[in-house]
Amino acid sequence: MTATNLLGFDLEGLVAYCEGLGEKRFRAVQLFRWIHQRGVADFAQMSDLAKSLRDKLAQNAEVSALRVLSEQRSADGTIKWLFDVGNGDAVESVYIPEDDRATLCISSQAGCAVGCRFCSTGHQGFSRNLSTAEIVAQLWFVEHLLRGEGKARDQSGRVISNIVMMGMGEPLQNYAALVPALRTFLDDHGYGLSRRRVTVSTSGVVPMIDRLREDCPVALAVSLHAPDDALRDQLVPLNKKYPIAELLQSCQRYLEAAPRDFITFEYCMLDGVNDAPEQAEQLVKLLKGKVPCKLNLIPFNPFPASGLKRSPRERVLAFAEVLIRAGIVTTVRKTRGDDIDAACGQLAGEVQDRTRAEQRMTRAPVVVHRRPSS
Ligand code: SAH
Ligand code: SF4
């Protein structure tokens, strides 16, 4: 019999599991705290649990971390880990320290089926969904490793203060595993993070945005990347299924339950593709007065197979200027961990493509339909 990995349960799941072993709810709470708050994997060390329970757990369960294949530390403090998830697949997590916070960027899938043109994960194709245990294990490992190293902690004693589901994969295409992981991040007996500090980033899986609003509303970032459907269809193929108008309506609905009163739109700046001032004007028309939002412009991080280039800095600033003048809060994302390929879109891990993305993704140049400037 294979042991059950307890990292795969949110608190309610662990309560149900413990009840199956004939144990009361408060025992599950104690166990959950040992695992997540204290980082203990060995049941024998859980001194306030009855010996009989410790024995039962040792026979049936485990707290199993992912095997670390590599760890790279950047000059700017960013750290990237590559974790083995079996069968030749590996995923990455990135720790990004800043003055007032420390963010962990977590992966949700081995590869990604959405296949965005500018994303190296997308170019690799899709292997499989991560389990809840594999998603939670990334935080569990990093939090307790860095505590052990004496990294700065917040008032509540945590090293990691923010989570972004912006690693490999499309989290809303792995919804069933994602939600218990989010609940573990939020639970006061787990990591106790506020909903505002846990962000799900999505390429726009509209029905799942609606479900997340019902099941576990957290901060939402939406990868927009284009001001019109013709261009977005090419950059983010999922747009053909859920076009911009539908996506923005789901964002409006999301805000009714969201912990923040705005949606973050991510916009990856691609030279000569989506970075013209007229396209910024189009974005203003699309968003202003319709969806309370912030714009986060991401300098494209190139990788050889993409055939795309990063927009020059002046062009990014000019684009931002149009948005800011129209009253849209706009930031340009700082590139971190460049020297260890840990920046956005550079997370490639190791993926056994089961979808033949190589063949599916043409190298044809992205065709830009610009409105004639008047
Ligand atoms: N699948 C989700 C989350 C993972 S990607 C999503 O697409 O939102 C996290 C962010 O990195 C997204 O906004 C994505 O568009 C961006 N990104 C992907 N490739 C990139 C690249 N090469 N350079 C810069 N940003 C990139
Ligand atoms: Fe998948 Fe996000 Fe990359 Fe698109 S940008 S391929 S949705 S991981």
Side-chain angles (χ1 to χ4, degrees):
M1 199 186 72
T2 51
T4 304
N5 189 354
L6 301 186
L7 291 179
F9 291 126
D10 59 12
L11 182 57
E12 291 315 311
L14 194 62
V15 167
Y17 179 79
C18 286
E19 281 169 359
L21 295 177
E23 297 289 337
K24 297 230 164 58
R25 181 184 181 89
F26 82 98
R27 291 291 177 205
V29 173
Q30 282 177 308
L31 178 57
F32 199 73
R33 293 172 69 102
W34 274 109
I35 296 168
H36 296 290
Q37 296 193 340
R38 307 188 58 176
V40 173
D42 178 2
F43 302 121
Q45 287 178 32
M46 300 181 181
S47 49
D48 58 0
L49 298 186
K51 173 87 169 61
S52 58
L53 172 56
R54 284 187 263 151
D55 290 345
K56 264 189 269 182
L57 289 170
Q59 277 161 25
N60 298 294
E62 63 183 0
V63 179
S64 176
L66 297 172
R67 193 162 72 87
V68 178
L69 292 174
S70 69
E71 179 193 276
Q72 287 170 280
R73 299 199 176 216
S74 160
D76 69 12
T78 303
I79 310 175
K80 179 172 89 168
W81 293 269
L82 182 67
F83 295 106
D84 180 16
V85 291
N87 289 324
D89 291 327
V91 300
E92 293 179 324
S93 312
V94 183
Y95 160 77
I96 308 149
E98 287 170 272
D99 293 342
D100 58 342
R101 74 180 90 170
T103 302
L104 188 66
C105 177
I106 291 183
S107 293
S108 57
Q109 299 180 310
C112 183
V114 178
C116 299
R117 274 300 299 263
F118 48 83
C119 172
S120 67
T121 305
H123 272 255
Q124 284 188 310
F126 177 68
S127 179
R128 70 168 174 87
N129 281 329
L130 298 188
S131 65
T132 300
E134 289 166 331
I135 297 172
V136 171
Q138 298 170 58
L139 175 60
W140 184 78
F141 169 81
V142 172
E143 173 68 36
H144 297 291
L145 173 80
L146 297 182
R147 273 191 208 176
E149 289 184 7
K151 285 267 190 299
R153 302 214 207 169
D154 67 13
Q155 307 98 309
S156 312
R158 308 178 198 96
V159 172
I160 304 296
S161 60
N162 294 58
I163 301 283
V164 292
M165 296 303 304
M166 294 186 187
M168 296 167 66
E170 169 48 59
L172 295 187
Q173 287 188 337
N174 185 13
Y175 190 79
L178 174 73
V179 169
L182 295 177
R183 290 192 173 134
T184 302
F185 302 159
L186 300 173
D187 202 301
D188 283 340
H189 297 296
Y191 298 87
L193 295 169
S194 93
R195 291 181 185 276
R196 300 153 58 88
R197 289 173 173 268
V198 175
T199 301
V200 167
S201 176
T202 179
S203 55
V205 191
V206 166
M208 294 303 157
I209 293 176
D210 286 325
R211 285 192 55 189
L212 190 66
R213 180 194 65 208
E214 298 293 324
D215 294 339
C216 192
V218 292
L220 187 68
V222 172
S223 293
L224 193 56
H225 308 308
D228 62 74
D229 284 322
L231 182 57
R232 194 163 190 272
D233 281 351
Q234 295 182 67
L235 296 176
V236 183
L238 194 65
N239 194 67
K240 294 182 196 136
K241 197 160 180 195
Y242 306 115
I244 293 176
E246 277 184 40
L247 177 58
L248 296 186
Q249 281 163 14
S250 73
C251 290
Q252 286 163 343
R253 292 192 293 274
Y254 194 84
L255 284 172
E256 291 163 15
R260 291 185 180 272
D261 54 7
F262 61 89
I263 302 284
T264 302
F265 288 113
E266 295 160 282
Y267 195 100
C268 178
M269 299 294 288
L270 303 164
D271 186 23
V273 172
N274 64 357
D275 64 348
E278 307 87 77
Q279 287 165 314
E281 302 280 5
Q282 265 182 288
L283 260 190
V284 170
K285 282 217 184 80
L286 192 66
L287 301 174
K288 195 166 177 199
K290 295 185 184 126
V291 185
C293 63
K294 292 188 179 171
L295 249 293
N296 192 208
L297 305 181
I298 315 175
F300 171 58
N301 292 304
F303 57 97
S306 73
L308 297 162
K309 287 195 300 237
R310 176 184 286 193
S311 303
R313 181 141 184 96
E314 317 78 72
R315 214 159 158 83
V316 177
L317 295 178
F319 195 93
E321 187 56 37
V322 173
L323 296 164
I324 291 166
R325 249 191 291 118
I328 298 182
V329 175
T330 305
T331 50
V332 179
R333 188 176 293 175
K334 273 183 275 170
T335 296
R336 299 286 305 266
D338 234 353
D339 52 341
I340 55 167
D341 280 353
C344 302
Q346 291 183 322
L347 303 187
E350 205 56 61
V351 171
Q352 304 305 311
D353 178 23
R354 310 204 201 277
T355 61
R356 302 191 166 261
E358 278 288 329
Q359 286 168 22
R360 209 177 62 233
M361 292 180 90
T362 63
R363 298 281 159 80
V366 178
V367 183
V368 185
H369 303 275
R370 288 247 174 85
R371 289 184 315 160
S373 39
S374 44

